[in-house]
Amino acid sequence: MDNTNKTIVHIDEYHFLWFVINRPDKRNAIDYDVMEQLNRAIQIAKTNDSIRGFVITGTGDKAFCSGGDLTVFHRLKTKEEAYSMLSKMGNILYELLTLPIPTFALLNGTAVGGGCEIASACDIRVALHNNVKIGFVQGNLGITTGWGGATMLMEKLQPADALTLLYSGKIYNVEMAKHLHFIQSMQPLSTRQQQSEYIDNQLVQSANVLRSYKSALIKKWVFSNVQERMAEEINTCAMLWARDEHHEAVQSFLNK
């Protein structure tokens, strides 16, 4: 469908739209091109009534997504520069959150930082092997979640579980991620066909029924001002981004 060197997008025989981040050499990090391609894929899913689900995963078995590409975004220094990037991705993730069909994050490897925020926007998170790890590590870089991840996490998890993930900045294995209800299950599915069949088995066939159920949840999020709360979270991150603490932490990380 829309295959570039950075992403692979296609609709399978089960009417699932797949968005595959194809940057294994960058641990499937997000840059502006990937952002734009994700937004385009979401709009296709939103307007094609035959699509029954939206699936995000990554190439390889090492990384689902390592968040924002620091080699690109470390150039952003001021609050205004940071806010421009953060709000762009935050708006895309709100679109993903409120996509009126079931959404799945298939964690093919480690998800950290913004990778966990992307997964948080999805309805269901499934680990594809026991070596998957997850971590909201943003706090170790002197910032908070910058794409609305904390707000979305609070909607998906019990507050104590969400705060454990956010406060600690730690990396968690599959068992602990399941214990904290971030990951719903671990399914050793090595091929796209197996993964599609697994998702298909979780869903009724009617796209109209699936959209109706999802719309009930979207109404709740609209009523509780999720979009506005995400915007406030993004603004806070932009302010922290501009501080020396963040820039020094990122530089130290890049120097490793």
Side-chain angles (χ1 to χ4, degrees):
M1 250 182 83
D2 180 18
N3 299 343
T4 70
N5 63 332
K6 294 183 179 180
T7 65
I8 301 168
V9 181
H10 72 281
I11 298 173
D12 68 15
E13 62 185 294
Y14 299 98
H15 302 285
F16 302 142
L17 191 152
W18 286 77
F19 183 83
V20 183
I21 307 169
N22 187 38
R23 304 184 75 203
D25 57 318
K26 296 283 189 179
R27 299 189 64 77
N28 294 326
I30 305 296
D31 65 4
Y32 291 110
D33 292 334
V34 177
M35 279 189 194
E36 191 52 48
Q37 290 150 19
L38 175 58
N39 184 52
R40 198 176 305 145
I42 291 169
Q43 299 314 312
I44 292 170
K46 183 180 284 190
T47 56
N48 185 335
D49 290 342
S50 70
I51 292 177
R52 296 171 58 232
F54 189 94
V55 187
I56 297 184
T57 191
T59 295
D61 61 2
K62 304 298 184 192
F64 167 74
C65 175
S66 59
D69 189 336
L70 293 180
T71 61
V72 176
F73 298 146
H74 188 42
R75 301 170 194 162
L76 309 176
K77 300 298 183 185
T78 67
K79 176 191 173 184
E80 291 73 25
E81 289 172 340
Y83 184 81
S84 176
M85 180 276 290
L86 296 171
S87 61
K88 177 181 176 68
M89 188 61 174
N91 288 335
I92 292 169
L93 290 191
Y94 181 76
E95 288 285 294
L96 176 59
L97 178 75
T98 57
L99 193 59
I101 52 175
T103 55
F104 294 81
L106 298 189
L107 305 180
N108 57 295
T110 298
V112 294
C116 280
E117 298 191 64
I118 293 170
S120 296
C122 295
D123 299 331
I124 306 293
R125 290 163 293 284
V126 178
L128 296 181
H129 55 78
N130 270 322
N131 292 326
V132 166
K133 294 181 173 62
I134 65 101
F136 287 82
V137 299
Q138 292 91 330
N140 300 321
L141 296 176
I143 55 172
T144 56
T145 44
W147 296 340
T151 300
M152 293 186 290
L153 196 66
M154 297 292 183
E155 292 294 320
K156 305 295 182 75
L157 274 58
Q158 290 295 318
D161 291 341
L163 289 172
T164 294
L165 290 167
L166 295 167
Y167 282 161
S168 71
K170 290 180 179 178
I171 305 287
Y172 293 94
N173 62 21
V174 169
E175 284 308 309
M176 194 61 188
K178 284 171 61 181
H179 177 72
L180 293 169
H181 303 103
F182 183 78
I183 290 175
Q184 277 66 57
S185 67
M186 198 289 291
Q187 301 290 332
L189 307 167
S190 58
T191 69
R192 290 281 182 265
Q193 183 64 30
Q194 290 173 339
Q195 293 159 13
S196 290
E197 289 174 359
Y198 169 77
I199 294 171
D200 184 56
N201 285 333
Q202 309 305 307
L203 305 174
V204 298
Q205 289 300 307
S206 172
N208 290 327
V209 168
L210 295 170
R211 286 173 180 267
S212 294
Y213 281 136
K214 184 64 177 285
S215 70
L217 185 56
I218 293 170
K219 287 174 184 174
K220 170 181 178 282
W221 288 333
V222 170
F223 184 76
S224 64
N225 298 316
V226 166
Q227 189 170 23
E228 292 82 356
R229 287 155 51 203
M230 287 175 68
E232 290 175 8
E233 178 185 341
I234 290 164
N235 188 62
T236 297
C237 182
M239 289 190 291
L240 293 173
W241 188 289
R243 294 183 176 178
D244 290 342
E245 179 186 9
H246 169 61
H247 296 305
E248 290 167 3
V250 172
Q251 192 60 57
S252 176
F253 177 82
L254 291 174
N255 289 340
K256 287 181 181 178

